[in-house]
Amino acid sequence: MAETKEKNTATAASDAHIAVHWKEEEYYQPSKKFIEQANLKEPQLVEKFSEKNFPNCFEHYAEMLTWYQRWHTVLDTNDPPFWKWFVGGKLNASYNCIDRHLEKYKNKAAIIFVPEPENEDPVVLTYQELYQLVNEVAALLRDFAGLKKGDRVTIHMPMIPQLPITMLACARLGVVHSVVFGGFSGEACGQRAADSASRVLIYADSYYRSGKLIDHKSAIEIAVETAKKDGQEIEKVLVWKRHPAKEQETPEEEWRDFYIDDLLKDYRGKKVDPVKMDAEDPLFLMYTSGSTGKPKGCQHRTGGYLAYVTGTAKYYQDIHPTDVYWCMADIGWITGHSYIVYGPLALAATSVIYEGVPNYPDPARPWRIVDRLDVNIFHTSPTAIRMLRKTGPEAAKKFELHIKHMTTVGEPIEPDVWRWYYDVIGKREAVIVDTWWQTETGGFLCSTKPALDPMKPGSAGPGVLGIYPVIYDEMGAELPAGSVKAGNICIRNPWPGVMQTIWGDRDRFVRQYYQKYNKNPNSKDWHDWPYFAGDGALLAKDGYFRILGRVDDVINVAGRRLGTKELESACLTIEEVAEAAVVPVVDEIKGRMPEIYVSLKPGVKTPPKEMADKVTHTIETMIGKIARPKTVVIVPDMPKTRSGKIMRRVLAAISNSLDVGDITTLANPDVVEQIRVQVQGLAKSQQKEGPEDIKQFGSQE
Ligand code: WTA
């Protein structure tokens, strides 16, 4: 009982509890023109993925790939919940994304790189050129860095084409890549390198962001030191130059750091046979925040993952080889892995990569790119849409855009924002799919089928092909369609895109995703192992899921996950700080932002403003600028239960101008009013959402 109570207290400060209050929306129909050309328009195909055909239905996705050897077992459930897919099959991801397209598409653009400075022209890499480069880099990684199948390598790079080239070179060798988002700090990179035991780091020296050439090389020293502190020696750092023709500079450490562009001269024309990987061999790690302070390395398999992203990119993004596809996300996140690199390239698409920020030098930039390259599939996040709508609502109207399909991902999209996207960017011609999924899930879980299902603003839609979602309440009872109560969304069945495990931590994998609703720990029947996603959701009568947000200690900032525990432990490294509590606060553009409450050790005389700046600076250097708090509040004491537990729920309510509820049982109820007055004072200088826009997600309390 005590445990349930603790849990409720923790979840009460979550994203889902400050869910936006939306009414049921009307439907929008896909156009006839879209339906006629769509990849997924046969109801028979949908039928093929019905539950009675599970798991063999997923062979349809696997058959989109080229295998050296076909699998003998589609799904092996012998070691639950460590499901194995396409067992016995052998393939190579790099071969599937490049080599197999050469016969038909060698001279077609695989990647079009758009640099942020507008005076630099786009760079086109054909499939043939990509093939050459990936082979040369693979040869260098093998012969110079000594990397081989099963080794891990940590890649900390911005959005330049050398990033997917490096990933595909790793995949060619069977080297497990772990890409760390370029905007993360050197510390964050070093920690992840240590966790995955990477001996080699791959960097870029610089990149453009909002018109400035940012020095990225300075992160190397910090990453190497952090990794060392965590027990991992970095033997080599390989550095790409943003401007390859630039004069050679002296590397930081001559024995350790090397410029790839210089080394590559020795590997011109070299070829590397793709390594024949087992379907279950890992392809990559992607670290993500969870409810503890330590990020977890989600380990994705080669066969199931590649099959899943290929199938979903084909049917849900409607990618054909003739399309020009642009996903304006970062390759350092799962969206970029699945739907900039692996999915689209496996389908021989043309994938656009943009280096910079969407509103540089002005909010019409994305539309100039769409216009110039004739992009017809456009994929982005609600945060970017909100920002472009707010800062340049007129800009898009001036362009004659002809986008057939648009995706949103990462956060709930407000119906008003959805309609703007539909009317102004899509010109009421494009279909929109709102795709709900996670780093852990490899690919989409809920979305409308673009040619077959009507769209409903604000709702992700039904489970995608072969995915059977369900909503459970805290006690494990199923909440039926049309229920006004929200609960925890789970996936009842395994699917090929789901992660294999948490790198090096099998127990945490089971605990985190399967323990909550497991019906029998000894069962080998997948029906007993629903996947717990950690999101609150509602299921409407029509079978469409509306995702409310995280129910754990994770904040979704601009579609990026930040663990509150990670932020809190960063604050606690500051000498003067006694306690720290981080809660989500609603933000007009980013959806949510972290707000940090800090109490100081007795006797500390540092002025509050100085302290707050110190906290912000610490967060930026230990994690990265994306984690920058909206506000730092230096409080006299934290609101606490009698047993001394910080009541984050109360702080979240104050931050979001909500009712704090019953606080009479607190050890120090008086402090709540003091904090509220303080926060109101700080808020005066900031633009805040009115309380009418946000509502308690109270059904579970
Ligand atoms: C949230 C990003 C509402 C959700 C692909 C999830 C969404 C977390 C949607 C995963 C959506 C993702 N509507 N919320 N369409 N898509 N989310 O791991 O809370 O970076 O758990 O993966 O983002 O974030 P992640």
Side-chain angles (χ1 to χ4, degrees), residues 54-55 58 73-75 83-87 279-280 301 304 494-496:
F54 179 86
F58 281 114
T73 306
V74 177
L75 171 64
W83 318 118
K84 294 183 183 59
W85 283 93
F86 308 120
V87 186
E280 280 292 309
R301 70 194 93 225
W495 67 99

Side-chain angles (χ1 to χ4, degrees), residues 10-11 13-15 290-291 296 512 533-534 550-555 561:
T11 58
S14 70
D15 267 9
S291 27
K296 49 198 177 194
Q512 179 82 43
R550 305 291 311 180
V551 295
D552 55 10
D553 296 329
V554 172
I555 305 182
R561 280 161 64 171

